[in-house]
Amino acid sequence: MSAQLNYQTQGVGEDVVLVHGLFGDLDNLKGLAQTLESEYRVTRIDVPNHGQSPHWDTMDYPSLAQSLVSLLDELGATKAHLIGHSMGGKIVLATALLHPDRVASVVAADIAPVPYAPRHQRVFAALTSLPLDGSVERKEALNHLLARGVDEATAQFLLKSFRRAESGFSWRMNLDGLIASYEGIIGWPFNNGAYDGPTLFIRGDESDYVTAEHKDAILSQFPNVQLKSIGGAGHWLHAQKPGIFNRLVKNFLDSQHPELHG
């Protein structure tokens, strides 16, 4: 499997890598990149099987962590601050556990280092049942997803990966690869070990992805941790409350070098 990721880099300074969640792409955290670029070199990636990055038949957290390390090598970066949302949060947490010498700090947005129960079957069923032969245009595709129980915000988000092909339409993401890897994506293969570098977990207080029952798992694996909640935000906290989210992340990064960031 190729590890060469599609990415975009902006700004100058210490390296920061932003990693999106399931079904997303490198534009998901663009607002955060714009907040950080005046003081950091920010790289946004397409995770394998998403956007314009390589398609893998299967993906797991050790392999995804290695793809981030390979990216750092390509960028000439000894270390980077890693920031990820949802599945991207698990990718950066896994990288911190497996390659701590390459990680300056880690931020996980609305995800915990634990296995989760399946919760995307309805989305997968809606996506796989959508005709791609050209008989369904974007508006009909939206109606198809809504009729199969996908909420409108999620449906609009998914359709960012719906694109016209030579004949009909296709998904930019590798749907087959994601389905084949889904058990690993919602799982968490690390039962011991810890990363003792600076770590920030940010949750939306209306989300059920990070709850009080996850606190022990967080503290045992990431003992040097800060925990923050954003009121009135759900799982898409970076999109719902971007001002607060971006400020929390920047303050956390800046606090590690107060002499540089005033």
Side-chain angles (χ1 to χ4, degrees):
M1 60 180 65
S2 168
Q4 192 155 23
L5 305 177
N6 182 56
Y7 64 88
Q8 292 183 9
T9 298
Q10 59 202 93
V12 178
E14 285 186 87
D15 279 285
V16 176
V17 179
L18 307 184
V19 187
H20 64 78
L22 184 63
F23 305 124
D25 64 24
L26 54 70
D27 282 340
N28 293 168
L29 292 165
K30 192 173 185 178
L32 176 59
Q34 291 168 340
T35 296
L36 299 176
E37 67 177 343
S38 63
E39 297 179 49
Y40 297 91
R41 180 168 72 152
V42 186
T43 300
R44 296 176 286 125
I45 72 162
D46 284 334
V47 172
N49 288 333
H50 296 77
Q52 297 179 59
S53 277
H55 286 187
W56 294 0
D57 292 337
T58 57
M59 52 197 276
D60 57 55
Y61 288 114
S63 299
L64 292 165
Q66 182 57 54
S67 74
L68 282 193
V69 171
S70 297
L71 172 71
L72 296 184
D73 292 342
E74 190 176 338
L75 294 171
T78 306
K79 284 190 172 192
H81 303 277
L82 304 182
I83 301 166
H85 171 247
S86 197
M87 175 190 73
K90 281 191 166 182
I91 294 171
V92 301
L93 294 172
T95 307
L97 290 173
L98 295 172
H99 307 280
D101 57 316
R102 305 302 298 274
V103 180
S105 72
V106 64
V107 179
D110 213 57
I111 202 72
V114 298
Y116 286 84
R119 59 172 78 202
H120 296 91
Q121 298 96 321
R122 182 178 292 172
V123 170
F124 280 125
L127 293 174
T128 54
S129 61
L130 179 66
L132 298 175
D133 57 6
S135 62
V136 174
E137 295 282 338
R138 185 171 294 272
K139 185 176 180 183
E140 289 85 18
L142 174 61
N143 291 333
H144 173 95
L145 298 180
L146 296 175
R148 280 153 183 79
V150 179
D151 67 89
E152 181 155 7
T154 300
Q156 294 281 10
F157 171 72
L158 293 167
L159 286 174
K160 291 179 180 178
S161 290
F162 188 65
R163 61 180 180 177
R164 191 174 293 280
E166 286 184 18
S167 61
F169 288 84
S170 67
W171 292 109
R172 181 173 284 177
M173 56 191 155
N174 176 17
L175 203 50
D176 290 341
L178 294 178
I179 292 170
S181 307
Y182 184 65
E183 192 172 321
I185 291 170
I186 61 172
W188 187 245
F190 309 105
N191 297 316
N192 48 46
Y195 171 73
D196 59 8
T199 306
L200 173 65
F201 282 79
I202 311 175
R203 65 180 289 271
D205 74 346
E206 295 178 358
S207 169
D208 63 355
Y209 273 80
V210 183
T211 66
E213 68 187 32
H214 297 140
K215 192 169 184 180
D216 287 347
I218 291 171
L219 290 171
S220 66
Q221 296 171 78
F222 300 92
N224 185 11
V225 67
Q226 299 176 41
L227 301 166
K228 302 283 186 182
S229 267
I230 298 180
H235 187 55
W236 302 97
L237 66 177
H238 60 289
Q240 294 164 323
K241 300 285 184 179
I244 299 171
F245 177 81
N246 295 347
R247 187 170 70 249
L248 285 173
V249 173
K250 187 172 188 303
N251 288 347
F252 170 73
L253 296 179
D254 291 352
S255 69
Q256 296 169 48
H257 295 287
E259 72 283 2
L260 298 178
H261 304 287

